[in-house]
């Protein structure tokens, strides 16, 4: 069983430092790098891309509302055209650093308030899907399972990666993205239990990635605990693009048996 571990990071800018990026990067398989709107700046984007490349981590554009003061976590009235422009602008900015580093962009994932808005608003979801399709329709789109963005991406023929959140509480099956108190997030035992519960929940078999945030208190400790628990459950850690490559290059076991070669 393959599972991706993705992390929101690269959100520092100027003299402001956020998150445990150097500690998290060796433990993840996909990095959602801020693109200069809610967080990040040109230097941090470049450094984050280089750090991901050094650790063999796949890279995604973490696109958010243009709201540094609120860190992209305040819902701001946004039209579909504005959402399209925000997404296209930020993906292009990060891909400049990705190409300069000699690697490729794997995915797009909305951030914070924008993530929650597009997951419930079909018009905004359509705008994000059109932006991804316009830029590079082979990019994966990270989505909340069963959301408006999930449905819209499938309709657009985009490849989706449904995700759960290890370090965010759930209420009646719905992630509570804005409830980030240490008490609600919980310690390692709570985070592990939440992860396993969500993997075995209504979208069982559909989830392809687990998200943790670099700026969550004690994030590296929580991530170590999640990785350990998932390893015990039989999971191997690999990004979606790496898993796809392995499926393409690995011989088909059933076909070889039928041919009498195994």
């Amino acid at each position: 069983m393959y599972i991706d571990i993705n992390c929101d990071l690269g959100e520092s800018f100027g003299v402001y430092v956020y998150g445990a990026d150097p500690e998290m990067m060796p433990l993840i398989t996909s990095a959602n790098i801020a693109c200069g709107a809610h967080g990040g700046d040109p230097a941090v984007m470049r450094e984050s891309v280089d750090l991901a490349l050094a650790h063999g981590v796949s890279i995604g554009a973490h696109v958010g509302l243009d709201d540094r003061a609120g860190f992209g976590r305040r819902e701001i009235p946004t039209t579909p055209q504005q959402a399209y422009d925000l997404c296209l602008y930020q993906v292009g900015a990060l891909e400049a650093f990705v190409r300069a580093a000699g690697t490729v962009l794997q995915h797009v994932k909305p951030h914070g308030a924008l993530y929650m808005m597009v997951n419930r608003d079909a018009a905004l979801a359509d705008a994000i899907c059109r932006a991804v399709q316009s830029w590079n329709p082979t990019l994966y789109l990270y989505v909340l399972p069963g959301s408006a963005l999930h449905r819209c991406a499938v309709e657009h023929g985009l490849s989706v990666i449904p995700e759960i959140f290890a370090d965010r509480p759930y209420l009646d099956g719905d992630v509570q993205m804005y409830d980030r108190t240490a008490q609600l997030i919980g310690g390692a035992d709570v985070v592990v239990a939440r992860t396993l519960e969500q993997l075995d929940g209504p979208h069982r078999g559909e989830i392809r990635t687990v998200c943790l945030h670099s700026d969550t208190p004690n994030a590296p400790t929580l991530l170590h605990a999640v990785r350990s628990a998932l390893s015990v459950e039989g999971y191997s850690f690999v990004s979606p693009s790496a898993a796809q490559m392995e499926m393409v290059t690995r011989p088909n076991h059933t076909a070889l048996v039928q041919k009498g070669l195994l």
Side-chain angles (χ1 to χ4, degrees), residues 205-219:
E206 187 178 2
I207 303 303
R208 295 185 60 190
T209 188
V210 177
C211 177
L212 290 93
H213 298 75
S214 178
D215 63 348
T216 295
N218 301 314

Side-chain angles (χ1 to χ4, degrees), residues 3-9 11 24 27-32 62 73 107 109-112 115 142-145 161-170 175 177 185 191-192 194-195 198-199 207-216 219 222-223 226 230:
I3 196 76
D4 175 49
I5 297 181
N6 78 84
C7 180
D8 299 355
L9 43 71
E11 294 172 319
M24 297 292 278
L27 303 173
I28 64 177
T29 50
S30 294
N32 315 311
H62 201 31
R73 289 171 175 159
H107 69 275
K109 176 182 172 180
H111 161 81
Y115 184 89
Y142 280 44
V143 301
L144 201 61
I161 306 296
E163 69 176 334
I164 58 170
F165 292 85
D167 56 354
R168 292 291 184 266
Y170 281 74
V175 63
M177 196 63 69
I185 292 171
V191 168
V192 165
R194 178 185 299 129
T195 301
Q198 290 303 314
L199 285 172
I207 303 303
R208 295 185 60 190
T209 188
V210 177
C211 177
L212 290 93
H213 298 75
S214 178
D215 63 348
T216 295
L222 300 180
L223 181 49
V226 169
L230 291 176

Side-chain angles (χ1 to χ4, degrees), residues 170-181:
Y170 281 74
L171 178 63
D172 298 328
D174 296 324
V175 63
Q176 306 300 296
M177 196 63 69
Y178 304 129
D179 293 331
R180 301 185 308 277
T181 66

Side-chain angles (χ1 to χ4, degrees), residues 77 83 110 136:
N136 181 355

Side-chain angles (χ1 to χ4, degrees), residues 8-19 21 32-48 60-74 86 89-91 93-94 97 109-114 215:
D8 299 355
L9 43 71
E11 294 172 319
S12 301
F13 57 92
V15 299
Y16 302 101
V17 179
Y18 298 98
D21 295 6
N32 315 311
I33 299 176
C35 305
H38 74 277
D41 62 26
V44 172
M45 292 163 71
R46 172 180 50 78
E47 292 165 358
S48 299
H62 201 31
V63 301
L65 297 176
D66 190 6
D67 178 30
R68 287 190 185 232
F71 211 60
R73 289 171 175 159
R74 301 182 298 186
L86 278 169
Y89 173 75
Q90 292 175 64
V91 172
L94 183 65
F97 290 100
K109 176 182 172 180
H111 161 81
L114 182 61
D215 63 348

Side-chain angles (χ1 to χ4, degrees), residues 27-257:
L27 303 173
I28 64 177
T29 50
S30 294
N32 315 311
I33 299 176
C35 305
H38 74 277
D41 62 26
V44 172
M45 292 163 71
R46 172 180 50 78
E47 292 165 358
S48 299
V49 168
D50 289 345
L51 186 61
L53 191 58
H55 290 283
V57 173
S58 297
I59 297 169
H62 201 31
V63 301
L65 297 176
D66 190 6
D67 178 30
R68 287 190 185 232
F71 211 60
R73 289 171 175 159
R74 301 182 298 186
E75 294 203 4
I76 298 172
T78 304
T79 67
Q81 185 62 60
Q82 289 170 330
Y84 175 93
D85 294 343
L86 278 169
C87 184
L88 193 61
Y89 173 75
Q90 292 175 64
V91 172
L94 183 65
E95 181 139 2
F97 290 100
V98 169
R99 290 188 185 184
T103 187
V104 296
L105 193 67
Q106 172 188 255
H107 69 275
V108 173
K109 176 182 172 180
H111 161 81
L114 182 61
Y115 184 89
M116 299 306 291
M117 292 162 67
V118 300
N119 276 310
R120 68 169 186 264
D121 187 313
L124 293 179
D126 179 72
I128 296 298
C129 292
R130 287 189 291 106
V132 172
Q133 202 163 40
S134 296
W135 182 259
N136 181 355
T138 69
L139 292 174
Y140 293 105
L141 189 58
Y142 280 44
V143 301
L144 201 61
S147 65
L149 185 61
H150 188 172
R151 294 189 295 271
C152 186
V154 171
E155 291 171 1
H156 278 269
L158 298 172
S159 297
V160 295
I161 306 296
E163 69 176 334
I164 58 170
F165 292 85
D167 56 354
R168 292 291 184 266
Y170 281 74
L171 178 63
D172 298 328
D174 296 324
V175 63
Q176 306 300 296
M177 196 63 69
Y178 304 129
D179 293 331
R180 301 185 308 277
T181 66
Q183 182 178 6
L184 287 172
I185 292 171
D189 290 346
V190 171
V191 168
V192 165
R194 178 185 299 129
T195 301
L196 296 179
E197 179 181 4
Q198 290 303 314
L199 285 172
D200 198 37
H203 298 283
R204 180 180 181 180
E206 187 178 2
I207 303 303
R208 295 185 60 190
T209 188
V210 177
C211 177
L212 290 93
H213 298 75
S214 178
D215 63 348
T216 295
N218 301 314
T221 298
L222 300 180
L223 181 49
H224 274 292
V226 169
R227 283 182 60 100
S228 178
L230 291 176
S231 293
V232 170
E233 293 294 318
Y235 286 96
S236 298
F237 307 112
V238 63
S239 69
S241 56
Q244 179 65 29
M245 183 61 68
E246 182 164 338
M247 285 190 289
V248 168
T249 59
R250 185 178 54 191
N252 184 295
H253 184 272
T254 302
L256 292 176
V257 169

